[in-house]
Amino acid sequence: MKRLHSFILKSFLGPLAFTFFICMFVLLMQFLWRYIDELVGKGLEWTVIAEFLFYVSATLVPMALPLAILLASIMTFGNMGENYELTAMKAAGISLQRIMQPLTTLVIIISISAFFFANYVMPVASLKTTTLLVDIKNQKPELILKEGIFTNDLPNFSIKVDNIDKETGMMYKLLIYDHRDKRGNTNVTVADSGTMVTSPDKQNMTLTLYSGNMYQDVKQKSRRDKNHPSRRIKFQEYETNVPLRSSELKRSNEDRYSKNYRMLNLKQLVHSEDSMRNRLDVERDRLVNGLLAKHYFKKDAKSMRKDSVRYEELLKKTKDADSLFKAAPLTKQLTSVSSALSFARKARENISRKENEILSQEKWIIKFTNEWHRKFTLPFACLIFFFIGAPLGAIIRKGGLGMPVIVSVLFFIFYYIISMTAERFAKELVLPPALGMWISSLIILPLGIILTYKATTDSAVFNIENYIDFFKKINPVKFFKKKNA
């Protein structure tokens, strides 16, 4: 049995590693396609790009690992079924559960490792990815001159070039606005041609212009001066140094994102959720007490002081507020009703505003609850997909990358759509968080049980002839003849 187990493990580990890296590559390309505009033209060093891709790859493991296990299990058992290896094992008296035993142990170990990965590695990877992505977005792009378009990437300069010689780097028909004096477009240079050369340390750029004119507005001594003096300088060659922006990526502090729900482990999620719920309960109590004190029991203090004696007398004569209200003059009744309506409208506006704030806080707290459940849904999904893929491969009996890839992708898309839809419902408070995060696993769990049972009993689930024979047995003509008779 040791040799058999070793053979089965070797048959599974190869496709698992291959499909896992294929899934990671596809998901990583999808991520890069989404953020390609943020990465191109920033002058980033290869070490920064490699670091960013490493952290992004770590955040994509929860999507790649279950799909890789599903695809690898279908391929493994499909190859063994296609090569009649499963038939030989069953003929030797080895059941399918016994064949799946070493892989089941391996998948359980992978699932436990996935839990620890989701709890301890994923929060750190998400924090690093978010911080680095924001830093890259804030990084200024490199100076890229385009023909016929003003470029403002050079500090305090706006440059337009009509033509650029790609081979020599010579630029023709330059129009430059120099804003270094912070007085607007008061310094304009027109040149027939010119070059730009960056210093070796990339801190400065030497701008050399040929055959041009420089127009400068002279600063006035006082605002009352109605004259606008200017000067024109004609040159054959003009050279100036322009300081460049730092090309190094400025790293921001990670603490500003460390309280996000994606950056926390189980213990931190529970602590944060409890703290936010306590604050929300305090805010609700404060709202109720404020409404009771300011809106529900309202009285005019000045009238009470002026007519206190009369009020006491009326209060002794009357038994309730309605009788007191009817005893008041008509003008007082109208004034009271108008004041009550005004107070009610203010109370309604206050309640509506606070309700939206409380609802927003509840939705934010639900995200922490969803993230807590997500730590467990990843390892559970790995187990379920294995118990779907292994019996499905034994039933299909097709190896390679044809049928297994199609079936795996269909199952995964079905699972992913249910998972994302239910999670969104949970975030919008339509479903409870536990149900929203676990409903996709609960839906496909019976499918795994049914497929395992069918594969154990050697049931031809995908044999079309069985279904054709079943429908042939159902003869609607005979059914209606018996009914009419």
Side-chain angles (χ1 to χ4, degrees), residues 42-69:
K42 297 297 182 71
L44 301 174
E45 297 182 359
W46 71 270
T47 54
V48 176
I49 298 176
E51 179 185 1
F52 180 68
L53 294 180
F54 175 76
Y55 292 137
V56 171
S57 301
T59 60
L60 297 175
V61 169
M63 290 186 63
L65 186 59
L67 180 59
I69 290 177

Side-chain angles (χ1 to χ4, degrees), residues 290-301 339-340 343-344 346:
L291 290 173
L292 291 175
K294 297 180 180 179
H295 297 283
Y296 289 163
F297 301 102
K298 200 76 176 178
K299 58 186 178 180
D300 194 347
S339 300
F343 293 147
K346 291 180 181 179

Side-chain angles (χ1 to χ4, degrees), residues 82-98:
E82 188 176 11
N83 297 327
Y84 299 101
E85 294 169 344
L86 282 178
T87 304
M89 295 178 193
K90 292 179 179 180
I94 304 174
S95 63
L96 182 63
Q97 288 82 357
R98 193 84 177 271

Side-chain angles (χ1 to χ4, degrees), residues 381-407:
C382 294
L383 281 173
I384 292 179
F385 277 126
F386 170 74
F387 283 104
I388 288 177
L392 194 60
I395 295 172
I396 295 176
R397 297 180 182 180
K398 290 290 183 181
L401 292 175
M403 181 65 71
V405 172
I406 297 174
V407 175

